[in-house]
Amino acid sequence: MSEQIIVAKFGGTSVADFPAMSRCADIVLADPRIRLIVVSASSGVTNLLVDITKQTEVSARFDLYAGIERITNAVLHALKEQAQVGANIKQLLIELTTLLQQPGAFSDAQKDLIQSFGERLSSVLFAQVLAERGAMVSQFDVRRVMRTDSQFGKGEPQIEQIAANTSQYLLPLLKQQLIVTQGFIGADPLGQTTTLGRGGSDYSAAILGEAVGAAVVQIWTDVVGIFTTDPRLTAEARCIPEISFDEAAEMATFGAKVLHPATLIPAMRRNIPVFVGSSREPQAGGTWISKEVDARPSYRAIALRKNQTLITVKSPAMLHAAGFLAKVFEILSQHKISVDLVTTSEISVALTLDDAPGSAFGTSIEPALAALKQFSEVTVEEGLSLIAVIGNHLHSTRGVTGSLFQALERINMRLICHGASRHNLCFLVQDTEAAGVVKELHTALF
Ligand code: ADP
Ligand code: ASP
Ligand code: MG
């Protein structure tokens, strides 16, 4: 049976309100192979919850909470049968508002618990939308299967445990009915609620797809597939009908928000094709991501990641001395700071850090900077954007490199990384110039 299962994930705008949820129900009901449905929080709700976790004033939290209640009630009141679902929603809202009354700052565990309510609410509502369309459907608490470690804000899924839990608790249910569950959230070994990081519902869908042995994972969103660049940046962006796992993974890593960066890891492990399409226009086609593709063009896409921090560490004393880089990276590793781009000279190293926006956590880099300053001069520049040109054989083919550098000629770059990967060339520009640069580069390369 499991070969027949399709896992369908609906993102925030796809479940934003009742009409949007109804369009998703059309998609689910049109294909009997769709058995497991993973939903995000309705659009805007997670942002509100994250903002709430940052407030220490109870009244400020409730101002934000009003927005969540409004979005939730709008869907609730559009349903035909409100008694049971209304009681379930009310119970969730009571649980949430009780948490919000607590004085003082929230712990990291409480922040994750608060953020979990978006998906918990939308999954209850969407299950009812499907039930009213005649489906045999239940809502399932994904925390029963989605075991993570205890890193709140970026819980690491425990794949073996998830597989075992899924066989025990989820697969038997899937044989009898449709299941609607939550993306983004999980539970640690103590049963505490965790989250997988912003945009994590795509990753949840792929992990569950792996656990149930899905034939396909579908990601339904607000664009008709993966484009050559974010279609919000240029009207010239084109949908890519077919793309390989590794190319799409590079795009996701370098900021193509359409997929959470880790989404393709489980899909690649089990060779499960991933489809990306628009829940508003399901008939408009979409993008198939798979292992083998017919074409691997030199230039595939351009990705943009804003809010990058560039740190330059300079130590004249290190001229001809061994171990400078080792020392720098040891400090960063001790402080659990992950580095993206690196360029070096004899006595200095420049590296970029991703300052993920919208996160309720955000690692402080101050202690690491203080340690680096013990033996070097450190400068920190903010407000930068990382632009990645993604393609194939970018490091080797003369014609390819030549035309790429020609396209980059007029761009005012702060740093460039080329050669380590055959699949990408990355550089930094000022945030304020980034959108224009992507547009210009897109015209030149595509
Ligand atoms: P969802 O809520 O469905 O998860 P997201 O907002 O997380 O949706 O992701 C979809 C958005 O990703 C699109 O609206 C688009 O602006 C953005 N995006 C960035 N890069 C790309 C790309 N290369 N192709 C398509 N969409 C992209
Ligand atoms: N609701 C979560 C977020 O907004 C997860 C997701 O939508 O993928 O980040
Ligand atoms: Mg998303």
Side-chain angles (χ1 to χ4, degrees):
M1 169 194 173
S2 60
E3 301 86 62
Q4 301 304 320
I5 295 180
I6 291 181
V7 175
K9 176 257 170 176
F10 296 98
T13 43
S14 301
V15 293
D17 50 27
F18 182 76
M21 286 191 187
S22 302
R23 286 192 291 271
C24 298
D26 292 338
I27 292 172
V28 172
L29 298 172
D31 189 343
R33 295 171 304 167
I34 299 179
R35 310 284 307 156
L36 180 58
I37 297 131
V38 178
V39 292
S40 290
S42 299
S43 188
V45 170
T46 309
N47 285 345
L48 287 165
L49 290 165
V50 168
D51 286 349
I52 284 174
T53 63
K54 293 178 177 159
Q55 308 297 328
T56 44
E57 292 287 328
V58 172
S59 65
R61 292 173 189 162
F62 276 90
D63 289 346
L64 295 160
Y65 167 79
I68 297 170
E69 204 177 52
R70 188 172 38 74
I71 294 169
T72 305
N73 283 336
V75 181
L76 186 61
H77 294 147
L79 291 165
K80 284 196 216 92
E81 174 50 63
Q82 290 169 23
Q84 184 56 51
V85 70
N88 294 344
I89 291 290
K90 192 168 169 199
Q91 202 181 335
L92 285 169
L93 294 179
I94 289 172
E95 202 187 316
L96 174 58
T97 49
T98 307
L99 279 163
L100 303 194
Q101 276 154 17
Q102 174 211 281
F106 293 114
S107 68
D108 284 351
Q110 287 171 324
K111 286 181 184 175
D112 267 13
L113 180 58
I114 291 169
Q115 287 185 53
S116 74
F117 281 88
E119 273 70 10
R120 287 161 67 194
L121 290 164
S122 63
S123 56
V124 169
L125 294 167
F126 187 57
Q128 181 62 22
V129 170
L130 281 169
E132 294 190 0
R133 299 279 296 271
M136 273 277 290
V137 57
S138 288
Q139 188 258 20
F140 179 84
D141 190 333
V142 83
R143 292 172 295 179
R144 293 176 65 196
V145 298
M146 187 62 75
R147 169 69 61 82
T148 71
D149 65 10
S150 303
Q151 290 183 73
F152 298 105
K154 47 175 186 284
E156 186 62 38
Q158 309 294 299
I159 301 304
E160 280 177 21
Q161 189 66 55
I162 293 168
N165 293 349
T166 301
S167 304
Q168 192 174 352
Y169 303 116
L170 186 54
L171 279 176
L173 296 177
L174 279 174
K175 294 200 169 97
Q176 300 147 15
Q177 60 201 314
L178 297 183
I179 293 293
V180 176
T181 195
Q182 306 84 26
F184 182 53
I185 69 173
D188 78 354
L190 298 174
Q192 304 178 96
T193 300
T194 54
T195 63
L196 310 188
R198 293 304 307 269
S201 295
D202 304 323
Y203 189 27
S204 303
I207 292 167
L208 292 171
E210 177 180 34
V212 303
V216 172
V217 173
Q218 299 177 337
I219 306 288
W220 295 100
T221 180
D222 61 355
V223 278
V224 293
I226 300 183
F227 281 63
T228 45
T229 193
D230 188 339
R232 288 178 206 208
L233 295 175
T234 167
E236 290 174 10
R238 294 192 311 261
C239 181
I240 304 169
E242 251 200 358
I243 187 169
S244 64
F245 279 136
D246 34 337
E247 290 167 311
E250 291 264 333
M251 288 181 73
T253 304
F254 286 110
K257 191 186 166 222
V258 63
L259 287 181
H260 179 277
T263 310
L264 295 172
I265 299 170
M268 287 161 100
R269 238 178 348 235
R270 290 280 181 272
N271 198 13
I272 304 171
V274 176
F275 174 81
V276 181
S278 160
S279 64
R280 196 174 266 282
E281 300 173 77
Q283 71 295 342
T287 299
W288 278 100
I289 313 168
S290 58
K291 194 169 164 197
E292 305 294 344
V293 289
D294 288 342
R296 284 181 181 266
S298 302
Y299 306 122
R300 185 56 108 170
I302 304 171
L304 166 66
R305 209 159 70 183
K306 295 194 137 195
N307 298 310
Q308 307 298 295
T309 302
L310 178 66
I311 297 181
T312 309
V313 186
K314 186 174 165 194
S315 177
M318 292 311 290
L319 188 62
H320 303 308
F324 173 51
L325 288 180
K327 213 164 155 182
V328 170
F329 281 97
E330 194 188 324
I331 289 171
L332 295 170
S333 142
Q334 276 164 5
H335 292 85
K336 294 201 161 38
I337 291 175
S338 115
V339 173
D340 289 315
L341 305 186
V342 185
T343 59
T344 61
S345 75
E346 264 288 81
I347 56 160
S348 63
V349 52
L351 28 95
T352 67
L353 313 179
D354 184 18
D355 184 7
S359 155
F361 299 88
T363 328
S364 166
I365 58 169
E366 292 309 322
L369 295 182
L372 292 170
K373 281 177 187 164
Q374 300 286 322
F375 65 96
S376 58
E377 288 165 31
V378 180
T379 48
V380 178
E381 291 167 62
E382 286 172 340
L384 294 162
S385 283
L386 189 164
I387 295 177
V389 177
I390 291 144
N392 295 286
H393 307 295
L394 290 180
H395 67 318
S396 56
T397 322
R398 185 178 300 166
V400 172
T401 325
S403 57
L404 186 50
F405 276 88
Q406 225 166 27
L408 295 171
E409 207 174 47
R410 287 185 309 280
I411 293 168
N412 185 14
M413 278 182 234
R414 176 60 188 83
L415 172 150
I416 180 164
C417 276
H418 178 53
S421 162
R422 62 173 69 188
H423 292 298
N424 69 64
L425 175 147
C426 298
F427 57 93
L428 290 183
V429 298
Q430 297 298 325
D431 271 338
T432 46
E433 291 173 17
V437 168
V438 170
K439 208 169 163 176
E440 196 176 322
L441 198 56
H442 192 275
T443 308
L445 296 181
F446 292 95

